[in-house]
Structure formats: C-alpha cells, structure tokens
Amino acid sequence: MSICPFPQTTGSVTLNSPSYSILPPLPSMVEATNLLTRIAVGDRTALSRLYDLYSRMIYAIAWKSLNSVEDCEEVVLEVFTQIWKIADRFDIDKGSAEQWIFTLARSRILDKLRKLQRLKKVNDAIASGKEIEFPTISVDPIEAVEIVEQRQQILAALSQIPPAQRQVIELAYYQGLTHVEIAARTGLSLGTVKTRLRLGLSKLKMVIDRGSS
C-alpha cells in the first residue's frame, strides 16, 4: 500500500494557525473503529476523515512535550502516515481505536524527543569543543592519519553523487537540520527530502565501498 497524501488543513484551519488549539468535538469510538477498518483496505477518504477527527488532538498533545510548530507538524504527519501503513494491525480485542491511535502518537513524540536530545548533545559538544585541550601525548599518530583519510574519503565520495542528493545530506549531517527544516529551506516536499536522503546515503555507501575494495 503506498503512502496516501492527506490534507495539511482541517477546514480553513492550518496546522500552524493559532486557532489550531481549538479542539473538535470528541469522535465516537465506533466511528474511529470503522474508519481504521476502512483505512486497512486502502480507503483514502476514511484516512482524511480520521485526520480531521484526531490531527488537532495529536498536535495539542505533541505541543505539550515539543513546544515547536515544525516538530508537532512532523509528528502529526508521521502518525497518520503510520496509520495508513499499518491500520490492518489494529485489533479491537486489545483496546479501543482511540487508545491505539494515541499509542502511536506517544511513540512518535518520544522518538522526536530522543532525536532532539541527541542533536542537542552533538551541538553542545561542538560548541564546547573549542575550549577542550587534548594533550598531544594522548593522540595516536596512526589513528589521527586514519581519521583524516576517512574524512577525505567521505568528501571525495560526496562529490560523486548527484548534487540534489548531496545537498540534503550536507544539510542533514553537517548542519543538523531536520527533514522539515530541509524541506522549508529548499522548497522541496517532505517526501522528496526523505527520498533524496535515502538514495544519497545509499549511493554514498556504494562509492565508499567501491573505493575501499
């Protein structure tokens, strides 16, 4: 089943609109269950309806933890993309449809928090690196040469992949941008950013493997 594009708006209210915090009436459990059943067989209209019912609530829950419009939007997108892919795994005997949806949302929010924490640690390490002095005696000359060679190998490999794919890799791994931030900066869709990043990394690995063989 391919990923279904679903609306980024609900009526006239956009995800990043101030009025997005106004939650819709709670949907019935029966309706949510029926919608998941329809989504499981590829009903895009059912996904759109489920999005209308739950996207604002998921956004509001994500906001409490992330406090970022872009990160909350990405969580909402990821939750409904996952619902589209795995709706057939929903089992009413193990819990309600709403519980299942919010469990997916909680998982995506935790993943986002972990990613942000990792990025913060990297940025903190980079920021404080200038103040750290490593004793010269502790540096293994052979290891230092190997690190330089690996860096040169990666830079050389990057020059051999398509510019469009190289661009998103550099933005993601050298500037630490999220997929949403890369899409905003380049004007590309989020799906295109993810596709180019995946293809670029695959080609980068192939170039490096070929060069070391």
Side-chain angles (χ1 to χ4, degrees):
M1 184 184 297
S2 59
I3 296 177
C4 170
F6 37 83
Q8 293 301 300
T9 62
T10 304
S12 61
V13 181
T14 60
L15 277 175
N16 55 3
S17 167
S19 58
Y20 197 84
S21 59
I22 304 174
L23 299 180
L26 288 174
S28 71
M29 297 297 181
V30 173
E31 181 177 13
T33 300
N34 290 339
L35 289 172
L36 285 177
T37 301
R38 289 165 54 192
I39 293 169
V41 295
D43 189 332
R44 294 168 184 260
T45 303
L47 180 66
S48 181
R49 173 59 179 163
L50 194 74
Y51 181 93
D52 288 341
L53 292 174
Y54 285 97
S55 61
R56 296 186 187 186
M57 285 185 278
I58 293 172
Y59 184 98
I61 293 169
W63 180 265
K64 292 180 181 179
S65 299
L66 302 174
N67 199 33
S68 163
V69 170
E70 289 185 350
D71 291 332
C72 291
E73 287 179 347
E74 192 166 318
V75 164
V76 173
L77 176 66
E78 290 173 352
V79 168
F80 283 93
T81 298
Q82 188 175 18
I83 288 173
W84 177 251
K85 290 179 177 179
I86 66 169
D88 58 330
R89 300 182 191 175
F90 167 65
D91 185 350
I92 188 64
D93 293 331
K94 295 181 180 180
S96 70
E98 190 165 276
Q99 288 175 333
W100 189 77
I101 292 168
F102 287 138
T103 296
L104 294 181
R106 179 177 179 274
S107 178
R108 297 285 70 76
I109 293 168
L110 290 175
D111 286 345
K112 179 64 68 177
L113 285 172
R114 294 187 190 103
K115 180 179 178 180
L116 293 173
Q117 289 169 355
R118 288 196 299 270
L119 181 59
K120 182 179 184 302
K121 288 180 181 179
V122 171
N123 289 337
D124 289 347
I126 293 173
S128 62
K130 296 178 181 179
E131 304 172 3
I132 301 174
E133 296 182 359
F134 295 96
T136 305
I137 191 172
S138 67
V139 178
D140 182 345
I142 296 177
E143 182 180 357
V145 170
E146 289 177 347
I147 291 174
V148 171
E149 289 178 346
Q150 288 174 358
R151 182 175 182 275
Q152 291 174 341
Q153 185 182 30
I154 291 173
L155 291 175
L158 277 172
S159 67
Q160 298 181 50
I161 68 175
Q165 295 170 9
R166 181 171 67 246
Q167 179 190 33
V168 295
I169 290 175
E170 290 174 344
L171 290 173
Y173 291 93
Y174 289 124
Q175 297 189 33
L177 300 185
T178 65
H179 293 168
V180 171
E181 290 169 340
I182 294 173
R185 176 172 297 191
T186 60
L188 300 170
S189 69
L190 185 60
T192 300
V193 168
K194 292 182 178 181
T195 298
R196 289 187 180 180
L197 190 57
R198 176 175 55 81
L199 293 175
L201 290 174
S202 177
K203 290 182 180 179
L204 185 64
K205 183 178 183 301
M206 289 174 60
V207 171
I208 292 175
D209 290 344
R210 187 168 60 244
S212 59
S213 60

